Amino acid sequence: MRKYLSLAGVVLLIVSVAACGTDDSTSVIDGESLSGSELTVYSGRSEELIGSLFADFESATGINLNVRYGDSAELAAQLLEEGNNSPADIFISQDAGSLGAVAESGMLTTLDDEILNLAPSEYQAESGAWVGLTARARVFAYDPVKVTELPDSIDDLLDPKWNGKIGIAPTNASFQAFVTALRQLRGEVAAETWLAGIAANNPVAYEKNSMIVEAINAGEIELGLVNHYYIYEVAEALGGEINVKNGFFAAGDPGNLINVSGAGILNTARNSAGAAELIKYLLSNESQNRFVSDTNEYSILEEVPSPQGLPTFADIGTPVVDLDALKDVRLTQEMLVRVGLL
Amino acid sequence: MSKTKNAVTPSQELAGGIAVPRMLQISALFVLFLASIPLGYLLLRATASGFAAASAVLLREKTVSTLITTAGLAILVALFSAIIGISSAWLIQRTNLPLPGLFLVLGTLALAVPSYVSTYAWIALIPSFAGFAAAVFILSLTTAPYVLLAALALLRRIDATQEESARALGLTASQVARRVIWPQSRPTIFASLLLVMLYVLSDFGAVSLLRVDTFTRVVHTMYKATFDRSAAAVVALILVLLAAILIYAEYKARGSAVAAKSGLGSIRTTNRIDLGFKKYLAASYLLIIAIASLGVPIYVLITRFVSVAAEINVSNLVSATIATASAALSGASLAMLFAIPLGILAARYSGRLSSYAEFGILLTHALPAVVIGLALVALGSRLGFLYQSLPLLAFSYAVLFLAKAVGLIRTSIARVPRVYDDISRSLGNNNWQTIRKITIPIAAPGVITGFLLVLLTAMKELPATLMLRPTGFDTLAIEIWTQTSISQYGQAAPYALILVLVAAIPTYLLSRPDRAQSSESRENMTL
């Protein structure tokens, strides 16, 4: 037994020594001493989509980033569980809903006007708890060979000719945000009527937006409700051209919802000055241009042009929605359950 | 819940008077505490919003359909897994199947493919691949190797002389199967099927990609969509209840069969059955299973990888491999450390304490990893520097996979006649010396097998790793998740292939036919 105990002791020792190397918490008092300080980032944006900007930020400012990548909603759940003990300084999320949930629990600090003034107010929390970083449009992705007459409105999709040909992702945060917006825009009854109509058209349900685009490309369905950038992602993953295009509904249609990715700073941040620097960096013209060219997302800044080949928000005619309210998807889920889509 | 109750020997009954060594008592209490962390967390969360809110979640219509889906999936997967696993084992061990060694390795290697990877592969091949039937298909293939290994060890153990005597007394082949083989196999088969069902209850990767609403998926959906931790905890508690019913049912159904051979002498096995030309049919059957569980994922990974001509980031690949190995190795070591005392206690000093501890860890086994992850986040974030450190990650693996380890150690100890302990004591050794000199050496093969199995499972673990890993500590599973979450299946392929390769090492060691001395402990192979 002694042999086993000592073996275990060695294992534990190695393990704890290895762990000690990772812990560091430098507190920062004034802006001058930011270089060399540590900043812990919880990032719902994956490394592929933001990692190079983080690296450039590090070399530009000398601030060392400890980035924890994860799923936005799971990181939000983790932050809620950690509460005041959270090691995170800043939370970057892929959707407004996750930011809203963390903000609601009072864990996010109100951002300085210096930051809030950088971006248009419709893409940030009214309370100033978080600010948008990039924007994405809801679109319909379609098979340009089979679909010759494009729908003008989400109501056109209720036509029986679409029976079994539409793909949706009812469990996905982006689809649920769209339904929440629909409830805001048209009211509960009209929203449920539309959902029931879609359900009656036997849509094919997928887990992810990218699976919808792949299914259109494979000829299994003809049209799907997704975010605009998925056709680029899937084309890259499949290594070439795909037979899928983005389409927009008529101006003002709820199907043209704009949602944002964004960032907020924790109340308990040890390096809130560094966190503020990071947000400013990500909202700079240069970073915004890179989001547009690298990930085909829309910039949050009006002066930065749209991704190549895509109309501007003004041309799309996006509906006016309170993004802060998109976090409340409980009623949306109940509605989806009632019509049988969840 | 102690399995040793089935194999009570007269000397064990006498052992009632022997005091449980203090070390073991303390260890068992400690393990009981570990198992109670996630359950305690769930209870706290579930009751946080009050009775009315909890009953509103419980009484909604969705609960009934989820219950039917979850229970139906668990039962069907157990059934198919048993059919595939037992038939494969029988063909490999008892017939003149060509290349039995190859089919054994192929049948076991499927363990090296994480269920989320094989599900992705099937969806890539057939985009409409989804739904209940698809989930039964994938999960049966994923869990069949565990039943295969258990059944194989069983077939190796059953003494041929018993079968021959029965035949000589005029019993037909089916009567031999029913009256000689089945009573001896039942406890093992039921135990492995219970673990298959608990696996199905806790699986997230396959059911989410295939859009089958089991309780685990509903828990995830609730966390993600509403951030309502109380409602999610209530649903998770229903899952715990379902698991408890299954554990109890298995305990009752297993019966009181005596699952021991008469002595320690070597076992003679029967001659292999000549299948004639049907042996090629049998070989094609096993080949089809291998293609479905192993061939398809590897084919899809390689073709996706080639089609995008993805650049391989060698340094990332190496660091992810090291991260995977170090996390899994320390997790498996810790799990065995926790499991050894409990295994000894369960096998040698069965009583209320060991029953509770065992029941607790089996229940924990059915919990979605996200629940265990969040429980350890709630606890760990109060531990300062330990939070998001490798020791805490290893600890979470130990909690997650303890059930695998304890079952194996217990079985391998329980197989050895209690009389050895009595002899040791009569020679003047005290309890502790007996454990050290007799029990631990006997348990060693089970410990090694358990270690390999926990190692294998920990390598593939994702949800708890995401929450508890040190920041920047990216395992292969994390890298695969990172790439697939933005549809970069080609970029994910090298990581997935390396994971399959690395996981193949413990898998191969588990399947090696020459590890005969541990084949008995493999019989209670747990998921």
Side-chain angles (χ1 to χ4, degrees):
Chain A
M1 188 66 191
R2 195 169 299 144
K3 199 169 68 181
Y4 292 90
L5 281 177
S6 54
L7 186 74
V10 169
V11 170
L12 280 178
L13 194 70
I14 294 172
V15 163
S16 10
V17 167
C20 288
T22 61
D23 183 66
D24 200 347
S25 48
T26 321
S27 63
V28 180
I29 297 121
D30 60 292
E32 292 306 305
S33 62
L34 281 175
S35 181
S37 68
E38 301 277 329
L39 183 65
T40 300
V41 184
Y42 276 23
S43 175
R45 281 182 82 87
S46 69
E47 189 166 6
E48 202 76 24
L49 302 181
I50 201 169
S52 65
L53 281 166
F54 284 157
D56 292 348
F57 174 76
E58 283 184 307
S59 51
T61 60
I63 297 173
N64 297 319
L65 298 182
N66 302 316
V67 189
R68 195 173 182 83
Y69 294 101
D71 171 88
S72 296
E74 280 170 18
L75 284 174
Q78 181 160 4
L79 280 167
L80 294 177
E81 212 55 78
E82 291 169 347
N84 290 334
N85 299 311
S86 179
D89 292 307
I90 176 171
F91 176 38
I92 294 176
S93 163
Q94 279 287 73
D95 59 88
S98 299
L99 282 165
V102 180
E104 195 183 40
S105 73
M107 288 179 66
L108 296 182
T109 189
T110 306
L111 298 169
D112 288 342
D113 285 343
E114 189 193 356
I115 292 175
L116 294 173
N117 291 338
L118 290 173
S121 59
E122 65 255 44
Y123 301 129
Q124 48 193 235
E126 215 178 295
S127 63
W130 56 265
V131 60
L133 292 178
T134 63
R136 49 278 302 272
R138 291 293 293 176
V139 296
F140 56 89
Y142 66 100
D143 179 337
V145 177
K146 290 183 191 154
V147 182
T148 46
E149 196 183 331
L150 299 182
D152 267 340
S153 155
I154 55 168
D155 298 317
D156 292 348
L157 301 178
L158 304 179
D159 192 306
K161 76 171 179 176
W162 292 107
N163 193 359
K165 293 176 181 168
I166 297 176
I168 56 172
T171 56
N172 199 283
S174 65
F175 181 81
Q176 295 185 356
F178 153 68
V179 176
T180 313
L182 184 66
R183 286 172 39 223
Q184 252 187 54
L185 293 164
R186 290 190 178 174
E188 304 292 330
V189 177
E192 186 154 349
T193 309
W194 183 83
L195 279 176
I198 278 290
N201 244 349
N202 301 307
V204 187
Y206 295 85
E207 179 71 6
K208 296 175 157 205
N209 283 310
S210 58
M211 290 176 170
I212 295 179
V213 175
E214 287 210 35
I216 297 172
N217 188 45
E220 295 197 350
I221 49 172
E222 295 184 2
L223 179 146
L225 297 177
V226 296
N227 285 352
H228 77 272
Y229 50 87
Y230 283 100
I231 64 166
Y232 308 108
E233 239 182 65
V234 172
E236 197 189 327
L238 295 176
E241 288 284 301
I242 55 172
N243 183 39
V244 188
K245 278 190 163 170
N246 275 339
F248 293 88
F249 297 105
D253 191 86
N256 293 348
L257 173 74
I258 302 295
N259 201 347
V260 296
S261 72
I265 299 176
L266 279 292
N267 273 333
T268 50
R270 293 190 196 85
N271 189 357
S272 47
E277 283 306 310
L278 180 58
I279 294 184
K280 281 188 240 166
Y281 184 83
L282 294 174
L283 284 175
S284 72
N285 249 313
E286 193 199 335
S287 304
Q288 290 287 313
N289 273 304
R290 277 172 66 182
F291 279 130
V292 173
S293 58
D294 294 353
T295 62
N296 297 296
E297 281 170 281
Y298 282 92
S299 165
I300 213 85
L301 306 178
E302 273 151 10
E303 60 268 31
V304 176
S306 308
Q308 206 179 0
L310 286 170
T312 63
F313 286 163
D315 292 340
I316 297 169
T318 61
V320 181
V321 176
D322 174 14
L323 290 177
D324 237 354
L326 293 187
K327 70 171 183 300
D328 176 30
V329 288
R330 178 192 290 267
L331 291 172
T332 297
Q333 286 201 322
E334 284 172 5
M335 200 179 271
L336 287 169
V337 169
R338 276 201 300 276
V339 301
L341 287 176
L342 256 190
Chain B
M1 283 305 116
S2 165
K3 281 181 191 157
T4 52
K5 279 188 187 148
N6 312 318
V8 170
T9 61
S11 61
Q12 255 178 319
E13 275 165 9
L14 291 175
I18 295 171
V20 181
R22 185 158 301 261
M23 253 300 266
L24 286 186
Q25 259 178 334
I26 294 169
S27 329
L29 282 172
F30 178 64
V31 172
L32 197 58
F33 165 71
L34 295 188
S36 67
I37 293 173
L39 295 173
Y41 164 82
L42 275 183
L43 280 174
L44 282 179
R45 277 275 166 261
T47 50
S49 62
F51 179 76
S55 56
V57 177
L58 275 176
L59 296 176
R60 58 186 196 143
E61 218 174 298
K62 176 96 179 164
T63 305
V64 178
S65 66
T66 311
L67 182 67
I68 293 168
T69 307
T70 312
L73 190 66
I75 291 166
L76 282 178
V77 169
L79 185 71
F80 284 110
S81 178
I83 292 172
I84 297 172
I86 294 171
S87 64
S88 308
W90 185 76
L91 289 172
I92 290 167
Q93 187 67 22
R94 289 292 174 91
T95 70
N96 64 337
L97 178 84
L99 304 170
L102 174 73
F103 283 113
L104 174 57
V105 171
L106 286 180
T108 333
L109 263 186
L111 286 178
V113 186
S115 70
Y116 49 84
V117 169
S118 53
T119 312
Y120 263 122
W122 276 94
I123 294 173
L125 212 60
I126 311 166
S128 63
F129 187 79
F132 188 81
V136 171
F137 177 80
I138 287 283
L139 289 171
S140 300
L141 286 177
T142 310
T143 52
Y146 296 106
V147 183
L148 162 69
L149 287 172
L152 205 62
L154 196 68
L155 287 173
R156 284 178 184 149
R157 187 170 58 81
I158 291 174
D159 200 333
T161 50
Q162 290 181 9
E163 282 179 60
E164 282 161 17
S165 312
R167 292 300 288 271
L169 288 168
L171 268 64
T172 65
S174 72
Q175 280 172 321
V176 171
R178 204 174 65 237
R179 286 159 65 175
V180 178
I181 300 179
W182 175 240
Q184 298 193 50
S185 320
R186 195 170 57 181
T188 303
I189 300 292
F190 279 4
S192 66
L193 293 186
L194 171 67
L195 287 152
V196 166
M197 289 196 273
L198 295 183
Y199 177 92
V200 173
L201 295 192
S202 69
D203 175 79
F204 175 68
V207 293
S208 70
L209 289 170
L210 299 172
R211 305 190 305 276
V212 178
D213 263 332
T214 63
F215 280 120
T216 292
R217 184 169 185 239
V218 171
V219 168
H220 269 260
T221 314
M222 293 185 99
Y223 271 123
K224 291 186 106 169
T226 61
F227 302 99
D228 184 344
R229 292 169 293 161
S230 291
V234 172
V235 176
L237 276 180
I238 311 176
L239 180 63
V240 169
L241 196 68
L242 184 62
I245 294 170
L246 285 175
I247 295 168
Y248 185 73
E250 188 266 343
Y251 173 67
K252 283 287 167 199
R254 194 199 298 149
S256 54
V258 175
K261 61 181 194 273
S262 40
L264 270 183
S266 62
I267 292 165
R268 214 161 50 74
T269 48
T270 43
N271 294 326
R272 287 172 179 267
I273 294 163
D274 190 347
L275 291 177
F277 74 94
K278 280 188 194 147
K279 71 181 180 182
Y280 299 107
L281 220 59
S284 346
Y285 162 70
L286 293 180
L287 197 64
I288 288 169
I289 292 170
I291 288 172
S293 59
L294 204 60
V296 166
I298 291 178
Y299 167 79
V300 169
L301 287 176
I302 291 176
T303 49
R304 285 265 168 149
F305 176 57
V306 171
S307 73
V308 295
E311 261 180 55
I312 302 181
N313 185 336
V314 178
S315 72
N316 252 7
L317 209 55
V318 170
S319 67
T321 309
I322 293 171
T324 302
S326 57
L329 280 170
S330 39
S333 310
L334 213 55
M336 297 324 288
L337 199 69
F338 294 159
I340 288 170
L342 199 73
I344 294 173
L345 188 85
R348 284 292 186 252
Y349 305 91
S350 66
R352 208 167 281 175
L353 183 61
S354 73
S355 302
Y356 286 157
E358 206 186 343
F359 190 71
I361 55 178
L362 276 173
L363 275 186
T364 309
H365 199 58
L367 285 178
V370 68
V371 168
I372 295 176
L374 282 173
L376 290 172
V377 164
L379 183 78
S381 59
R382 282 157 183 77
L383 297 179
F385 74 93
L386 266 180
Y387 185 52
Q388 293 177 353
S389 68
L390 194 52
L392 193 72
L393 180 62
F395 180 80
S396 74
Y397 287 165
V399 175
L400 272 168
F401 307 128
L402 204 55
K404 287 185 205 313
V406 173
L408 278 160
I409 295 174
R410 184 206 39 225
T411 326
S412 56
I413 298 173
R415 281 273 144 57
V416 175
R418 176 88 203 184
V419 96
Y420 284 19
D421 287 14
D422 301 344
I423 294 169
S424 166
R425 280 195 201 88
S426 72
L427 292 172
N429 288 320
N430 62 25
N431 276 338
W432 179 238
Q433 286 167 323
T434 302
I435 287 173
R436 205 180 63 206
K437 292 183 183 169
I438 308 289
T439 320
I440 288 183
I442 289 168
V447 173
I448 294 168
T449 313
F451 178 81
L452 290 173
L453 205 68
V454 175
L455 187 67
L456 176 65
T457 324
M459 282 176 178
K460 301 184 285 183
E461 210 287 330
L462 182 61
T465 313
L466 268 174
M467 289 183 203
L468 295 164
R469 72 193 201 273
T471 295
F473 183 88
D474 292 337
T475 64
L476 291 165
I478 299 267
E479 294 281 5
I480 296 168
W481 173 83
T482 304
Q483 301 295 344
T484 49
S485 67
I486 48 166
S487 333
Q488 301 296 323
Y489 303 103
Q491 269 78 6
Y495 295 104
L497 286 170
I498 293 284
L499 178 58
V500 171
L501 274 179
V502 175
I505 299 169
T507 310
Y508 175 71
L509 293 175
L510 280 170
S511 77
R512 257 167 60 188
D514 54 297
R515 277 173 46 90
Q517 91 277 21
S518 71
S519 67
E520 296 204 352
S521 57
R522 232 181 292 140
E523 180 178 322
N524 263 57
M525 188 67 65
T526 59
L527 292 173

